[in-house]
Amino acid sequence: MTTVIIIAAVTCICLILSVLFKTSVGIKGKSISIYWIIVMIGALVILCSGLISFKEAFEMITADTAINPLKILVLFLSMSVLSIFLDEIGFFRYLAGMVLKRAKTSQKMLMIYLYLIVSVLTVFTSNDIIILTFTPFICYFAKNAKIDPIPYLFAEFVAANTWSMMLVIGNPTNVYLATTNGITFVEYVKVMVLPTIMGGAAAFTMIMLVFRNKLKKAVEAEPENVNLKDRGLLAIGIAHLGICTVFLVISSYINIDMWLITMCFALSLFIWVIAYKLIGKNKERVIGQCLKRIPWQLIPFVLSMFVVVLALDKYQVTDLIAGWFGNKASVWVYGASSFISANFINNIPMSVLFSAIIGKADGAITLQATYAAVVGSNIGAILTPIGALAGIMWSSILKKHGVKFSFLTYIKYGAVISVPALAFTLLGLDIVL
């Protein structure tokens, strides 16, 4: 047990240090993220030392069970394809431009509209994709309008990591925790609607209070005009996302796994786009761009963390933690502990670990603990940049655009906003359950 704990601890510490000091390295002109490499090395050390055999790891990763990480990865990456496609044809930026025009010169109205559009899009797509899309847009707009980008950047990040709780597809952590414990799409929605609304409202209230003085200056420029590349491609993309969401809602009734539904729609999207391009002689290389932007690094990252947690589970470390929590632990215990843990080991590893811990707890608290961990995995991203992969990517984008936002400044805003958001979300969850 001690050896496994040491390897897992060292891996997590190195992961944190990589986020704080060096998120990527340059090799032959290309930037390569190192966070997943660190976790992969930790997993290889466990495998090569014989703590877990390669056979054991392979059998667990490919097992036909709810905790199969391959199925979960397929589900999330397939949904990412649908979202990235809409972004590539300019849909998200087009909506942002249209909505932000209504704000005119008022920064308060600009903040309200931005928060609303990010929240709505996050619910039906993916928080990571929305953050990657809107962050450069906000940086450019703020520079042209001669306003401070920080309130809008942080509001975007908060909205994306709060409203991502509402549907199971909003965050890979939702997918993992819900799927592992057999929670269907509809069951998830029934529970998480009220907590998400309460948490989202609390987060927005705190944002307006925290940044009230920064929002007094008038906007000096109009949002950029963004033209849609092709309305035919737009129709194909929206149809696939909409129909896919409908099938996810009824997946438990038609007995088809969610990962299979999303995979089929992602493949169908590519087939329709290829046919459309051949018939209409469209020269947009949208498929190639989609494939480039898929977060492929998530595959080795999740699989490696899965191996680390398998080792912790095999040597009863998860039993020990479950014992500390007790069999009568409330949503507040699991919610607060997952919220804090996400900021030490990142929300995806935390979700894998807590899934194993919940599996050792009394069956009577399984649902409460699972939903509480979902809440912690989403809102935990707001406290520090370490809390989620989205935070790591977000920080990197800000550096590229010359926006200064230190770790301490992030925590200063993050703590003030995330703690009330967490409290109101868990209160809503407590009411529902």
Side-chain angles (χ1 to χ4, degrees), residues 126-337:
S126 162
N127 62 343
D128 291 346
I129 303 303
I130 296 301
I131 287 169
L132 290 174
T133 300
F134 275 73
T135 299
F137 175 85
I138 293 170
C139 290
Y140 285 125
F141 174 76
K143 184 178 181 180
N144 293 333
K146 298 178 182 179
I147 57 176
D148 187 353
I150 297 301
Y152 304 98
L153 289 167
F154 209 76
E156 164 222 21
F157 194 79
V158 170
N161 286 288
T162 305
W163 292 90
S164 55
M165 293 184 291
M166 185 171 284
L167 299 187
V168 72
I169 57 177
N171 196 324
T173 59
N174 304 354
V175 175
Y176 192 90
L177 287 162
T179 306
T180 299
N181 292 285
I183 298 172
T184 66
F185 192 99
V186 174
E187 289 170 344
Y188 181 96
V189 174
K190 286 179 180 178
V191 172
M192 289 305 298
V193 168
L194 178 63
T196 302
I197 292 173
M198 290 178 64
F204 178 71
T205 301
M206 294 308 300
I207 287 169
M208 296 302 288
L209 287 173
V210 170
F211 296 115
R212 63 187 182 279
N213 292 326
K214 291 179 178 287
L215 300 178
K216 292 179 179 179
K217 183 182 176 182
V219 179
E220 297 182 15
E222 288 289 322
E224 64 175 319
N225 289 316
V226 180
N227 295 318
L228 292 169
K229 292 182 179 180
D230 191 302
R231 293 187 181 275
L233 291 176
L234 173 64
I236 292 172
I238 291 179
H240 275 77
L241 179 61
I243 298 172
C244 180
T245 303
V246 171
F247 270 88
L248 288 173
V249 171
I250 64 173
S251 60
S252 59
Y253 301 103
I254 59 178
N255 293 319
I256 300 178
D257 290 340
M258 288 191 293
W259 70 270
L260 190 57
I261 291 172
T262 56
M263 183 182 71
C264 289
F265 274 93
L267 292 174
S268 173
L269 176 68
F270 286 152
I271 293 170
W272 272 84
V273 171
I274 291 171
Y276 178 82
K277 288 167 66 70
L278 290 174
I279 295 171
K281 296 182 180 180
N282 186 294
K283 295 182 179 180
E284 293 287 348
R285 297 181 177 179
V286 66
I287 292 180
Q289 289 300 114
C290 282
L291 293 174
K292 286 181 182 179
R293 288 185 54 190
I294 292 174
W296 298 112
Q297 66 272 21
L298 203 61
I299 297 174
F301 183 70
V302 170
L303 294 181
S304 297
M305 281 308 309
F306 189 75
V307 170
V308 173
V309 173
L310 277 178
L312 292 172
D313 193 36
K314 179 179 178 180
Y315 292 93
Q316 300 182 326
V317 178
T318 50
D319 296 72
L320 185 64
I321 299 173
W324 289 341
F325 287 164
N327 288 330
K328 295 183 180 180
S330 66
V331 295
W332 297 91
V333 172
Y334 277 92
S337 58

Side-chain angles (χ1 to χ4, degrees), residues 93-156:
R93 295 188 70 181
Y94 173 77
L95 284 182
M98 292 294 291
V99 172
L100 297 184
K101 277 184 179 180
R102 298 179 63 87
K104 298 181 180 179
T105 60
S106 171
Q107 284 208 61
K108 288 184 179 179
M109 292 307 299
L110 184 64
M111 176 65 81
I112 291 170
Y113 286 135
L114 178 70
Y115 188 85
L116 285 174
I117 190 173
V118 171
S119 300
V120 172
L121 290 175
T122 297
V123 169
F124 295 101
T125 54
S126 162
N127 62 343
D128 291 346
I129 303 303
I130 296 301
I131 287 169
L132 290 174
T133 300
F134 275 73
T135 299
F137 175 85
I138 293 170
C139 290
Y140 285 125
F141 174 76
K143 184 178 181 180
N144 293 333
K146 298 178 182 179
I147 57 176
D148 187 353
I150 297 301
Y152 304 98
L153 289 167
F154 209 76
E156 164 222 21

